[in-house]
Amino acid sequence: MQVHGKDIKVFSGNANEPLARKIADRLGVPLGECKVSQFSDGEIRLDIYETVRGSDVFVVQSTSEPVNHNLMELLIMIDAFKRASAGRITAVIPYYGYARQDRKAKARDPISAKLVADLITVAGADRVLTMDLHVAQIQGFFDMPVDHLLGIPPIIAPYYSEKFQDSKDEIVVVSPDLGSVTRVRSFAERLDIPLAIVDKRRPKANVSEVMNIIGDIQDKKVILVDDLIDTAGTIVNSAQALMERGAKEIYACCTHGVLSGPAIERIAKSEIKELVVLDTINLPETKRIDKIKILSVAPVFADAIQRIYDDVSVSTLFI
């Protein structure tokens, strides 16, 4: 069997070291010895304390808040490993920042998701491993292999299947907008439960207004499903609208808990009974309120990394 690199080495930036450590533990390897710090003027400093020559290096770094700092850490780490003669470098980006800037929505808009892809390429990455891109087409922004993992089917769907195994006839899965219907339909089919859709409009960024509910949610327990929750305005407004239209209980889930600005306060005061998020973004203790449950993506990423190293299919993880 052909393998790329003499061994697997997993390194972490500062964005999500707890996840990187879990991934390394699942693989049965120690987390790589390096330190990412700053010089007094704010420039990023990287010290690598072990050889990576000929190794299959996996750099775990979500480009979450502070987005630009974490992105720069990732680029500098990739560059350093390339110059240290790593056999292959895979950028493991559980949460890909700038993914929502994937097209020109109006005149003179940048396509920042493409720019970030170009930066990662120029830095020297050979491959990208990520999860639940805001739009799957971002894979095409890279001139290298991109393994696009899914968080909802292997992690979140089984959680709800067990949670509501005795009351499936009371459950409806709801898409918070028309753009998420394909993702949410897959979730509904996996649980074999009906689907409803929130019809909304977005007058400006981070603001949404619910116009209508498509589907039957009367006296139902509702699960709102999205790829990410940022300021929580959409999910909270949707939950309120669903309760006003007859829903019995509201649950919500997402892959990426960005949870910026007023998000935690909004969720705490909302009709949402429980919010399930994955640990693609390291949630600080100050944001870990009782309503939020965190599930880990480490098993899926560890399995994918092992498959990449062994040169076997990653897509079979989701069959």
Side-chain angles (χ1 to χ4, degrees):
M1 179 186 296
Q2 180 188 8
V3 294
H4 297 279
K6 62 186 179 184
D7 53 5
I8 295 176
K9 292 204 172 183
V10 179
F11 289 87
S12 177
N14 290 319
N16 201 341
E17 187 177 325
L19 174 59
R21 200 168 292 282
K22 288 177 189 175
I23 291 170
D25 288 345
R26 294 279 303 196
L27 289 165
V29 300
L31 190 64
E33 294 185 29
C34 73
K35 181 180 180 182
V36 187
S37 55
Q38 293 184 53
F39 291 101
S40 61
D41 64 352
E43 290 182 6
I44 292 167
R45 172 177 175 173
L46 173 63
D47 295 292
I48 302 169
Y49 302 118
E50 61 183 272
T51 181
V52 296
R53 184 176 294 273
S55 296
D56 208 349
V57 171
F58 295 84
V59 185
V60 181
Q61 178 80 335
S62 285
T63 49
S64 50
E65 185 183 4
V67 181
N68 299 330
H69 183 90
N70 286 334
L71 173 60
M72 201 65 200
E73 278 192 11
L74 174 63
L75 299 175
I76 288 172
M77 291 180 77
I78 293 169
D79 179 74
F81 290 125
K82 184 179 179 66
R83 296 176 188 278
S85 301
R88 180 174 60 176
I89 302 165
T90 300
V92 182
I93 312 172
Y95 170 69
Y96 184 84
Y98 285 105
R100 285 172 283 179
Q101 297 185 47
D102 63 297
R103 67 195 187 282
K104 291 186 69 170
K106 64 181 187 300
R108 296 174 294 280
D109 269 358
I111 304 180
S112 303
K114 167 61 174 165
L115 174 60
V116 171
D118 289 343
L119 291 170
I120 292 168
T121 303
V122 170
D126 299 297
R127 192 178 197 100
V128 168
L129 175 61
T130 188
M131 176 172 275
D132 281 337
L133 291 167
H134 189 59
V135 288
Q137 294 90 326
I138 291 173
Q139 294 172 86
F141 291 174
F142 290 90
D143 295 324
M144 68 177 81
V146 176
D147 292 297
H148 186 207
L149 305 181
L150 305 176
I152 289 172
I155 304 171
I156 294 178
Y159 171 78
Y160 282 116
S161 182
E162 182 177 348
K163 185 181 183 74
F164 296 119
Q165 60 183 333
D166 298 325
S167 57
K168 277 180 64 175
D169 57 333
E170 298 181 60
I171 308 299
V172 175
V173 177
V174 176
S175 173
D177 54 43
L178 295 170
S180 300
V181 171
T182 301
R183 180 186 301 108
V184 178
R185 181 178 288 117
S186 173
F187 179 91
E189 288 172 353
R190 196 166 275 262
L191 269 64
D192 191 26
I193 53 181
L195 167 71
I197 303 166
V198 175
D199 180 21
K200 71 175 187 184
R201 71 184 184 98
R202 191 181 289 279
K204 60 182 179 179
N206 293 126
V207 176
S208 66
E209 296 176 3
V210 174
M211 307 298 289
N212 194 22
I213 308 294
I214 304 166
D216 180 20
I217 49 89
Q218 186 70 38
D219 297 321
K220 299 289 186 181
K221 294 178 181 178
V222 165
I223 305 173
L224 278 159
V225 182
D226 212 344
D227 65 319
L228 65 87
I229 297 174
D230 188 355
T231 60
T234 294
I235 210 83
V236 166
N237 288 346
S238 297
Q240 182 65 37
L242 289 163
M243 287 298 288
E244 290 172 355
R245 288 162 173 81
K248 183 161 59 175
E249 291 178 354
I250 308 292
Y251 299 84
C253 63
C254 70
T255 301
H256 309 298
V258 179
L259 303 179
S260 66
I264 296 300
E265 183 181 357
R266 284 174 172 174
I267 291 164
K269 295 178 180 178
S270 74
E271 298 284 358
I272 297 169
K273 193 167 183 179
E274 179 188 68
L275 170 63
V276 175
V277 301
L278 303 184
D279 62 349
T280 57
I281 295 172
N282 187 31
L283 204 62
E285 290 296 330
T286 53
K287 293 185 177 182
R288 298 191 179 205
I289 61 174
D290 291 342
K291 278 190 178 184
I292 296 177
K293 181 174 182 62
I294 303 170
L295 305 178
S296 184
V297 298
V300 176
F301 273 94
D303 200 349
I305 288 170
Q306 188 65 59
R307 285 166 182 254
I308 290 168
Y309 179 73
D310 292 337
D311 256 357
V312 298
S313 173
V314 173
S315 62
T316 53
L317 277 170
F318 308 107
I319 294 175

